[in-house]
Every structure is written in C-alpha cells, then in structure tokens.
Amino acid sequence: MASIARSSLLRQVASAPKSAVATKPAFQKSIIANAARATAFHTTARRPLLPPLPQKVEGTVNDAAPVPPTDPSHGSYHWTFDRLVAASLVPITLTPFAAGSVHPVLDATLCATLLIHSHTGFQNIIVDYVPKYRVPRARKAFSWGLNAATVVVGLALYQYETNDIGLTETIKRIWKA
Amino acid sequence: MIAQRVGTTALRRVAGKPNAFITANNLARSLSTSQTRPVATQKISADEARAILDKQRLQRPVSPHLDIYDKQQTWFGGSIWQRFTGSAFSGGLYAFGIAYLAAPALGWHLESSSLIAAFGALPAAVKASVKFLAAWPFVFHAFNGVRHLTLDLGYGMARQTIVKGGWYVWGASFVGGLALALFY
C-alpha cells in the first residue's frame, strides 16, 4: 500500500520546507554561494586566461547593436593580398637554389617581398592577440611600433643591399663558412 | 481503503499539528482559485537593477583554457608552428635590420665579412647545430606554407588529409632541415 497511499499532496507536504517560503530574492544570496553552485556544472578547472571585462550594457538593453562604418578595405582583399605575397615567395626563394647565383634585382625583390610578408604577418599577430576592445592603447602602440620598425628595417635592407653583398649571398657564404 | 482517502486522512493529521506551512489559512488559500505568490518583492530603481545585472553577468563562465583542447591539434597541427617559425625568422630579420643601422653608432661589426668570419671560426658541431636550427624552421615554414595555400584554395579539406598532411610536413621538414644542415 505504501506507494499508492502516497498521494502527490502528501509528497508535497513531506518535501516542503518547514519555515515557509524563501522570502529572499535570488540576487541577495551571496556571490560565493552562486559561484559554488555554478562550478558544480563545470567539468574542467576554472582557469581563465584573462578576467572578464565589466559586463555593462552600453545604452539600454533595447538598443540595436552598432553597425561599424563600411570601408572597401574591410573586405577580404588584404587576405588575398597576403596569400599572393606568400605564394610569390615560393619561386623567388627557389630561383637562387636552382640557378646557383643571384641577380641583385632578384635579391632586392626577395628583400622587399620578405618585408611585406613579415609586416602583414606581424599585423595578423597583433590583431589576433592585442584586441582593440580590451587593450585599445596597447593595440595602437603595437600597430604604430610595427609600422615604425618596418620603415627602419626597410631602410636597413636598402643599405645592406646597396653597400654589402646582399641577403642571399650572405646566407650562402655563411652556410659555406 | 482507496488512495485518495488515505491522502486526506494523512493531510488532516498533518494539518492538526502546528505547522508554519500548512495552516488553515494557507490551505484555504491554496484551494481557492485566486493566485497568491508568497514571495517578498522590493522596489529598486532602474540603475540599481542594472548594477545587479552587471554583477550577475560577471559570474558567467569565461572561455575555457587552452589546456582542454586536443594536444595533437593545438600543439602539433602545424598552424601555430607556422606562426612560431615565421615570427622567429621575421623577428630575426627585424632585429638584424635595426642592429645593422645602429651598428656604426654602437661600434658593432655586422658587415657580411665579419659575420662570415665569426661563423667560420665556430667548431664544426656548433656550426651544424646552428645550421639545423635555422634550416628546420625554414623548410617547415616553406612546406607548411604551401600546404596552407593549398587548403586556402579549398583543396584537401578532408579530415584525414589534413591530419596526415600535418604529419608529412613534420617529417619532411626534419629530413629537409637535416639535409640542408649537413650536406650543403
């Protein structure tokens, strides 16, 4: 009789808290209790790389998300340009290996292409790891620092190409030294 | 004795005891058709409500740590090593370029002749090691770069092809690096 005798009403009575109903709103409970309850659902340790930024809503919750201003350079042109530069480095790099000697113009082309490839590569790294929304000033500093460094290195490569023996020949002679 | 009757008898017994939840008043209220919600509310301003929400949102879980992902994909997939090797070479190029411009002012000798002489003076084992440490990332970046360009064109996107291609590049880059370091 035990199971059929237990009507749902009885079960409710048995499980109801003795001290009436919780009168405290949920947000008044301590943060620690909430965190402990949340971690019970996590199967991995909580090891955030970076703490979350202030989770504030700009304006009101009913405002539409802002649409950034459009610009032709926001398309995928820079991505295609990166790939074209990378692909063009293959024949430029292979020619000295195949031919055995280097024309200064080819060496200058190699230096210029390497500089562009390095610059866009560093740009991608900065865009990926120094996000504007989190560290806007560091992002600006890194971007302009890279621009300055690229100009300086371009000047240095020009000096090296015109006053010294050139990049390919240097590597070749060091390799044979 | 039917189940319902047992329920009501028990209920009557419970109701007879002093109990904060089941009082005659509460019972009557729960049996009536009108709704009552025994939850206390308090008036707060819109700003306070938003501050509470902001605090609540900070409790949400953040993106998981890198450690949780498959090691084979994140550490040996080739993609991040393309970046490592590339930034090592580009960083070297930038460092050399800046040092080359600064060399006259600092009294350093970074002309090709002194670089070649300095490298030539090293012991053979050191020379071979340095050459391998330069040749392996070079071959890796070249092979993996071509692989990535192929993937960018949409070829070889089958899962097994990607996994195998990654391991081929690792193997080929070690062989190529050793060959360049020892036989050239």
Side-chain angles (χ1 to χ4, degrees):
Chain A
M1 193 177 97
S3 65
I4 47 160
R6 280 182 141 197
S7 68
S8 60
L9 190 59
L10 252 185
R11 219 176 300 155
Q12 263 182 347
V13 170
S15 64
K18 290 279 183 220
S19 60
V21 190
T23 46
K24 262 190 178 178
F27 53 75
Q28 276 189 357
K29 285 179 190 162
S30 78
I31 290 164
I32 300 160
N34 267 347
R37 212 173 46 181
T39 43
F41 290 97
H42 288 256
T43 49
T44 49
R46 195 184 161 93
R47 276 174 296 171
L49 286 175
L50 295 167
L53 293 171
Q55 303 286 302
K56 291 198 168 93
V57 175
E58 298 294 328
T60 74
V61 285
N62 291 324
D63 290 346
V67 178
T70 55
D71 191 290
S73 67
H74 286 175
S76 58
Y77 299 117
H78 62 94
W79 191 88
T80 313
F81 176 72
D82 273 7
R83 267 60 198 171
L84 286 177
V85 170
S88 68
L89 272 169
V90 175
I92 296 173
T93 314
L94 282 178
T95 312
F97 277 104
S101 68
V102 191
H103 194 273
V105 172
L106 181 68
D107 202 55
T109 312
L110 173 68
C111 285
T113 320
L114 274 183
L115 190 66
I116 297 169
H117 190 59
S118 302
H119 181 80
T120 55
F122 281 137
Q123 256 182 348
N124 291 341
I125 291 174
I126 291 172
V127 167
D128 281 356
Y129 303 137
V130 191
K132 211 187 267 177
Y133 68 89
R134 187 180 275 278
V135 277
R137 272 178 299 178
R139 169 67 168 275
K140 204 165 236 180
F142 271 99
S143 293
W144 283 104
L146 173 65
N147 291 349
T150 301
V151 170
V152 171
V153 173
L155 191 64
L157 285 173
Y158 175 78
Q159 290 287 331
Y160 196 79
E161 291 293 293
T162 46
N163 298 329
D164 217 310
I165 54 174
L167 188 67
T168 316
E169 191 63 26
T170 308
I171 293 170
K172 188 179 175 184
R173 287 196 196 171
I174 287 178
W175 214 259
K176 302 277 184 198
Chain B
M1 196 194 266
I2 54 166
Q4 230 175 357
R5 206 177 150 75
V6 173
T8 39
T9 325
L11 197 59
R12 243 178 250 145
R13 209 175 296 150
V14 173
K17 286 179 190 167
N19 186 312
F21 184 60
I22 311 265
T23 60
N25 195 13
N26 262 350
L27 201 62
R29 230 189 275 166
S30 66
L31 291 174
S32 78
T33 50
S34 67
Q35 279 192 352
T36 56
R37 296 183 178 186
V39 176
T41 56
Q42 70 188 82
K43 283 253 185 277
I44 48 170
S45 70
D47 283 343
E48 280 173 328
R50 192 185 288 182
I52 291 165
L53 266 181
D54 290 345
K55 220 194 277 176
Q56 282 291 313
R57 285 198 201 96
L58 277 175
Q59 299 296 316
R60 292 189 295 198
V62 294
S63 300
H65 197 267
L66 284 176
D67 288 6
I68 72 156
Y69 298 108
D70 180 17
K71 300 274 185 302
Q72 193 260 317
Q73 279 189 21
T74 43
W75 292 103
F76 302 108
S79 176
I80 193 61
W81 284 92
Q82 186 74 358
R83 193 162 262 189
F84 286 158
T85 51
S87 47
F89 277 118
S90 291
L93 181 72
Y94 273 47
F96 175 75
I98 292 166
Y100 185 76
L101 275 193
L106 297 169
W108 293 348
H109 285 281
L110 292 174
E111 311 85 39
S112 60
S113 51
S114 38
L115 289 179
I116 294 159
F119 190 75
L122 294 171
V126 177
K127 272 199 269 191
S129 316
V130 171
K131 278 188 195 174
F132 177 72
L133 284 179
W136 170 72
F138 173 75
V139 179
F140 184 91
H141 196 85
F143 284 179
N144 205 37
V146 173
R147 174 171 165 253
H148 269 283
L149 286 174
T150 324
L151 289 171
D152 289 340
L153 287 172
Y155 296 110
M157 295 297 276
R159 196 183 147 74
Q160 277 309 305
T161 320
I162 293 173
V163 172
K164 273 187 197 161
W167 289 118
Y168 288 153
V169 166
W170 276 98
S173 67
F174 269 100
V175 173
L178 276 177
L180 279 181
L182 299 177
F183 303 118
Y184 276 88

